[in-house]
Amino acid sequence: MIQEKYAPHDIEAKWQKYWEENKTFKVEMDKDKPKSYVLEMFPYPSGNLHMGHVRNYSIGDVIARFRTMKGFNVLHPMGWDSFGMPAENAAIKHNIPPKKWTLENIANMTRQLKALGLSYDWDREVTTCKEDYYKWTQWFFELFYKRGLAVKKESAVNWCDTCNTVLANEQVIDGKCWRCDHEVVKKDLSQWFFKITDYADELLKDLDLLPGWPERVKTMQHNWIGRSEGLEFSFEIPALNDTVAVYTTRPDTAYGVTFMALAAEHPLIKKICENNPKADEINAFCERVRNQSEIERTSSESEKEGVFTGVYCINPFTGRKVEIWVTNYVLYDYGTGAVMGVPTGDQRDWMFADKYGIEKIVTICPIGKELKLEEMTCAYEEKEGMLVNSGEFTGMEMHKAMSAIMDKAEAEGFGKRRVNYRLRDWLISRQRYWGAPIPIIYCPHCGEVLVPEDQLPVRLPEDVSFTAGAKSPLATSEEFVHCKCPKCGADAIRETDTMDTFLCSSWYYLRYTDAHNDKMPFDKELNNYWGPVDQYIGGIEHAILHLLYSRFFVKVLRDAGLVDYDEPFSNLLTQGMVIKDGAKMSKSLGNVVSPEEILSKYGADTARLFILFAAPPERELEW
Ligand code: ANZ
Ligand code: ZN
């Protein structure tokens, strides 16, 4: 007899139990069947699922079930991105060990996922904060180290005072910390970096291998990598018997240079200040600029400031003597840290010249139109024009002139064509507790030494103080810090920083293909069968973080012979946000609708059907 009323709780509970007992969604490699790997970005175990999760996982579940019904051998796993700051903050606030807090949250969220009836192969669950996982994260650090891709270097790094740790460039959004929105400052520190810049060119080129990715994400990565071609060339400084190099993407404007602009960190400044009556003024200015935030220094609206050094340099194209200024708008870690100032060609230079009464010379005119300085109100930045006032290049079309001018610099030996990237190396050290310890030992005789593979994992100590100030909490555990050098046996100390959690999430999709392997991070054959991920689903907020780091990881692993493909995710779907009353659902706005409430009222099928039909997957969904 057909029941009049649908009773989701009885029906769903029955089948969820059946699936669990029969391991209905468990899969194994089967070379006779075509495979399909369907994956949703794994969650951070914050404690409860939100509607964004429900949407993300419902979309993935539909694809996985559909492909199963079509006869594919479908891998559809789930796990936990479980290292990171919230666990540590809970420890500080409520005095709960991070591990306990995390595992309890995972238990609760697992229950919620199961109540949603999602078709996961739970036997492959991975949890990044567990030893059987982070052992391999450390193993990968060692692999990168051995390949020369993990290096320790001293540099000015992004520091968040609220989170009490350094941040990667990708984690600084408009000058602010991605986690807490606090303004980021610069600090000189010696830190571990992954050399993602070694792969800049390939990461850019291989975007073409990804027709199944949204154009928007590819454009964001393209711009983040920021490849440009230009000329690097040198100006002589007669008074110092030295030279200063600039990088320009507009060599066609070389005859319009009227000043030289240095970053406040430029190494030449020290020499410029020797026996210089303006030394105090220059140093005070540099000091002030260095304390300005990244936003203040780079925003197009912020005031362009500088100080004249009293020293001159010579433009090799024209023989013209120009003033050397120290400025706040030239970045020290891009190009050469020095810019040839062309007020008529670059708006920043225009504003700077206006402020300090520096001369302007017109050298580029729109085609067929004479440009008079008196009539100009801003720089002419168009990429179309003709050269004037440019010696032998006068009358030339600007793109032809670019190449001719670069030829001249190369022929006369004062310059060279050069490719530049915006992308910087990935800073992976964190002065935080809840992460995978960096497996390095510092020995007074041997220097930096890798912890031998058979001694991994380097376990997180538990006798720590969480409020250690600017150093990592790991440094407060005497037992952790002191050790013997694996090479010579001398008393040594351990690295006390942990790894950026984005490193843990850069390879989790590989581990699902062989989640219980204790000899290797994964078996090559299994991984090559399942990988790459055929359909990945997640939020656009990871466009240049997780999605770029994972691409980098796979390329390094391919070069190390561990995987046989170039890209981790063949197709990507970035699902839209779930919003309510026009705003993102969030605790702080008090507009959160809890999945549990919907589940208990209407059941999983209704909840999932609603969230799938209410809007196309890529679009925002108004609850
Ligand atoms: C002279 C010039 C004239 C420029 C002109 C532009 C227009 P992309 O495309 O991002 O590579 N630049 C170089 N190094 C810099 C630094 N460390 N800080 C700030 N600006 C820097 O940009 C390259 C251009 O950005 C370079 O070309 C340089 O200004 C500036 F009409 O040189 B140009
Ligand atoms: Zn922060």
Side-chain angles (χ1 to χ4, degrees):
M1 201 185 73
I2 291 175
Q3 272 178 298
E4 291 271 305
K5 199 166 176 213
Y6 177 57
H9 302 294
D10 303 340
I11 296 169
E12 287 173 0
K14 174 184 162 185
W15 288 106
Q16 284 164 13
K17 187 160 169 256
Y18 178 90
W19 294 335
E20 178 134 10
E21 285 172 2
N22 292 278
K23 295 191 187 281
T24 305
F25 306 110
K26 185 176 166 64
V27 285
E28 298 292 354
M29 175 165 75
D30 177 352
K31 288 191 167 167
D32 295 331
K33 261 181 155 183
K35 68 94 184 180
S36 186
Y37 186 175
V38 179
L39 183 67
E40 301 108 50
M41 290 180 183
F42 67 163
Y44 178 79
S46 55
N48 281 291
L49 291 185
H50 56 64
M51 280 300 168
H53 292 130
V54 176
R55 190 177 195 196
N56 191 185
Y57 308 147
S58 297
I59 294 169
D61 195 54
V62 162
I63 298 172
R65 285 173 185 264
F66 176 70
R67 292 202 178 156
T68 304
M69 288 190 276
K70 292 278 264 185
F72 287 95
N73 191 22
V74 173
L75 174 57
H76 187 217
M78 183 40 80
W80 308 98
D81 186 11
S82 53
F83 271 138
M85 296 239 336
E88 200 166 335
N89 291 341
I92 295 167
K93 245 195 184 153
H94 309 297
N95 205 22
I96 314 169
K99 189 167 167 186
K100 181 163 184 279
W101 185 88
T102 305
L103 296 181
E104 283 172 8
N105 287 348
I106 289 176
N108 186 48
M109 289 170 78
T110 303
R111 181 186 58 75
Q112 293 178 318
L113 287 175
K114 289 185 175 167
L116 269 168
L118 302 166
S119 61
Y120 296 124
D121 177 355
W122 283 103
D123 282 1
R124 294 173 185 264
E125 179 176 4
V126 304
T127 306
T128 60
C129 67
K130 290 193 174 167
E131 284 172 15
D132 67 350
Y133 186 88
Y134 76 68
K135 163 180 175 164
W136 298 112
T137 304
Q138 293 173 340
W139 189 87
F140 281 122
F141 175 93
E142 302 204 338
L143 178 86
F144 278 57
Y145 183 91
K146 288 174 197 156
R147 299 183 69 79
L149 294 168
V151 293
K152 197 171 193 206
K153 51 186 182 187
E154 167 94 32
S155 73
V157 296
N158 307 303
W159 176 268
C160 174
D161 262 330
T162 318
C163 297
N164 234 320
T165 185
V166 297
L167 299 167
N169 279 3
E170 288 77 10
Q171 292 159 350
V172 181
I173 318 282
D174 296 331
K176 295 183 183 159
C177 171
W178 69 292
R179 279 209 64 260
C180 71
D181 237 20
H182 198 266
E183 247 180 47
V184 166
V185 294
K186 290 283 181 186
K187 253 196 186 182
D188 288 310
L189 288 171
S190 180
Q191 300 280 290
W192 285 95
F193 287 85
F194 273 11
K195 289 173 74 181
I196 190 170
T197 53
D198 280 14
Y199 285 80
D201 218 24
E202 207 191 341
L203 286 166
L204 186 67
K205 282 209 195 91
D206 283 2
L207 288 172
D208 292 342
L209 303 180
L210 301 170
W213 277 40
E215 282 309 317
R216 186 164 157 225
V217 175
K218 287 192 280 185
T219 304
M220 286 167 81
Q221 291 208 358
H222 188 278
N223 294 342
W224 184 257
I225 296 166
R227 182 181 193 274
S228 73
E229 287 176 12
L231 177 70
E232 183 174 318
F233 71 103
S234 297
F235 289 58
E236 287 196 12
I237 311 172
L240 302 181
N241 196 16
D242 206 335
T243 61
V244 54
V246 297
Y247 171 72
T248 179
T249 47
R250 295 291 309 279
D252 55 310
T253 64
Y255 288 73
V257 177
T258 55
F259 65 98
M260 170 67 63
L262 303 183
E265 294 85 354
H266 200 288
L268 203 61
I269 293 173
K270 208 175 147 210
K271 194 162 172 188
I272 286 176
C273 286
E274 281 167 20
N275 304 320
N276 187 333
K278 301 187 84 170
D280 287 346
E281 192 192 340
I282 297 168
N283 285 324
F285 177 80
C286 293
E287 179 67 25
R288 188 160 66 79
V289 171
R290 276 199 295 262
N291 285 327
Q292 280 182 336
S293 73
E294 193 86 353
I295 313 184
E296 283 172 280
R297 288 182 68 168
T298 54
S299 144
S300 59
E301 278 114 66
S302 64
E303 178 92 6
K304 313 278 170 278
E305 295 177 275
V307 50
F308 174 44
T309 60
V311 180
Y312 295 82
C313 61
I314 313 273
N315 181 344
F317 286 100
T318 58
R320 190 187 162 93
K321 194 168 132 187
V322 297
E323 295 177 347
I324 302 178
W325 288 68
V326 180
T327 70
N328 66 343
Y329 70 96
V330 173
L331 305 169
Y332 71 97
D333 66 349
Y334 187 76
T336 61
V339 171
M340 63 182 208
V342 186
T344 54
D346 184 306
Q347 189 55 26
R348 294 167 303 179
D349 297 345
W350 178 279
M351 293 192 287
F352 190 78
D354 266 351
K355 182 170 166 115
Y356 295 106
I358 295 171
E359 192 186 352
K360 298 170 182 153
I361 308 174
V362 180
T363 58
I364 311 282
C365 289
I367 290 171
K369 183 171 177 276
E370 197 190 339
L371 209 54
K372 290 211 180 72
L373 190 59
E374 313 84 74
E375 290 161 12
M376 286 175 79
T377 54
C378 63
Y380 177 70
E381 291 186 323
E382 304 308 315
K383 297 283 160 64
E384 240 179 45
M386 258 197 19
L387 271 62
V388 295
N389 296 324
S390 296
E392 63 197 271
F393 303 101
T394 296
M396 230 186 226
E397 186 279 324
M398 75 184 257
H399 292 94
K400 278 207 183 105
M402 281 191 203
S403 135
I405 287 177
M406 293 197 281
D407 286 344
K408 181 180 164 100
E410 287 185 337
E412 295 188 9
F414 60 78
K416 234 179 152 41
R417 283 175 164 83
R418 173 173 159 184
V419 173
N420 239 318
Y421 295 93
R422 272 198 65 220
L423 184 70
R424 290 286 162 271
D425 282 334
W426 174 14
L427 200 181
I428 59 120
S429 308
R430 294 292 177 275
Q431 291 70 44
R432 301 299 311 204
Y433 171 75
W434 196 231
I438 295 174
I440 286 278
I441 288 168
Y442 300 103
C443 167
H445 312 295
C446 311
E448 43 299 309
V449 183
L450 283 181
V451 173
E453 225 177 273
D454 60 8
Q455 290 171 29
L456 297 180
V458 176
R459 289 193 174 79
L460 268 175
E462 289 178 9
D463 57 333
V464 299
S465 154
F466 288 109
T467 46
K471 55 178 188 172
S472 162
L474 272 57
T476 64
S477 166
E478 290 294 314
E479 212 192 305
F480 178 84
V481 172
H482 299 288
C483 61
K484 299 286 177 204
C485 171
K487 267 194 188 153
C488 74
D491 286 341
I493 54 169
R494 281 185 199 281
E495 168 68 58
T496 54
D497 286 351
T498 53
M499 290 184 244
D500 182 3
T501 57
F502 277 96
L503 209 144
C504 312
S505 58
S506 290
W507 73 278
Y508 78 105
Y509 49 90
L510 304 169
R511 182 68 176 172
Y512 282 137
T513 67
D514 190 14
H516 303 289
N517 196 329
D518 59 3
K519 305 278 177 303
M520 284 293 282
F522 51 82
D523 174 76
K524 192 173 165 179
E525 193 192 351
L526 283 171
N527 188 259
N528 282 333
Y529 171 76
W530 289 115
V533 173
D534 294 286
Q535 181 64 59
Y536 200 26
I537 305 137
I540 187 113
E541 66 273 16
H542 287 292
I544 47 177
L545 287 154
H546 165 60
L547 290 169
L548 188 63
Y549 295 146
S550 298
R551 295 184 60 221
F552 165 52
F553 241 76
V554 158
K555 290 182 190 308
V556 174
L557 268 44
R558 176 208 56 200
D559 288 349
L562 294 168
V563 301
D564 284 347
Y565 45 87
D566 295 308
E567 287 287 337
F569 314 121
S570 304
N571 294 284
L572 173 69
L573 188 156
T574 48
Q575 96 268 3
M577 276 200 294
V578 180
I579 56 174
K580 183 145 181 288
D581 311 323
K584 184 181 172 170
M585 275 192 193
S586 79
K587 268 191 210 154
S588 57
L589 293 173
N591 63 353
V592 173
V593 178
S594 122
E596 298 253 19
E597 203 180 305
I598 304 297
L599 278 182
S600 63
K601 240 180 173 162
Y602 306 105
D605 283 345
T606 308
R608 300 196 315 170
L609 188 61
F610 171 73
I611 210 154
L612 287 167
F613 104 96
E618 289 93 348
R619 299 273 188 80
E620 279 187 352
L621 183 154
E622 168 69 47
W623 181 255

